[in-house]
């Protein structure tokens, strides 16, 4: 598998834009640093998965979900 030091010289990311979703959750939480933002806008890997909430709380990761469609009034 990919290791964080192969992706960004071992530095954590401030934000991740994620269209893959649950299948990528473990890797995404590893990539994000303290106070990181995880913007979740797709479920290409499916609708269900596991998230390590202890890691998210410890790093104070903010999970932001959205869709890429226009809003209707």
């Amino acid at each position: 598998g990919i290791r964080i030091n192969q992706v960004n010289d071992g530095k954590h990311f401030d934000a991740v834009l994620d269209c893959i979703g649950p299948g990528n959750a473990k890797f995404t939480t590893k990539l994000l640093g303290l106070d990181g933002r995880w913007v979740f806008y797709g479920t290409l890997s499916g609708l269900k998965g596991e998230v390590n909430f202890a890691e998210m709380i410890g790093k104070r990761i903010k999970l932001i979900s959205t869709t890429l469609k226009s809003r209707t009034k």
Side-chain angles (χ1 to χ4, degrees):
I2 298 174
R3 295 191 178 120
I4 189 168
N5 59 358
Q6 294 173 310
V7 177
N8 196 28
D9 292 328
K11 299 174 188 153
H12 289 95
F13 287 87
D14 294 327
V16 171
L17 304 176
D18 182 9
C19 66
I20 305 300
N24 229 20
K26 185 176 181 180
F27 188 58
T28 300
T29 54
K30 296 266 184 251
L31 286 177
L32 285 165
L34 195 60
D35 292 319
R37 291 171 306 281
W38 179 0
V39 181
F40 176 75
Y41 67 95
T43 55
L44 291 175
S45 68
L47 298 175
K48 295 182 180 180
E50 285 189 30
V51 176
N52 183 342
F53 284 106
E55 188 170 9
M56 288 185 68
I57 291 168
K59 290 184 171 184
R60 298 189 309 249
I61 293 172
K62 294 161 193 70
L63 179 61
I64 303 159
S65 63
T66 187
T67 62
L68 295 179
K69 62 181 182 178
S70 61
R71 293 187 198 179
T72 57
K73 292 185 177 188

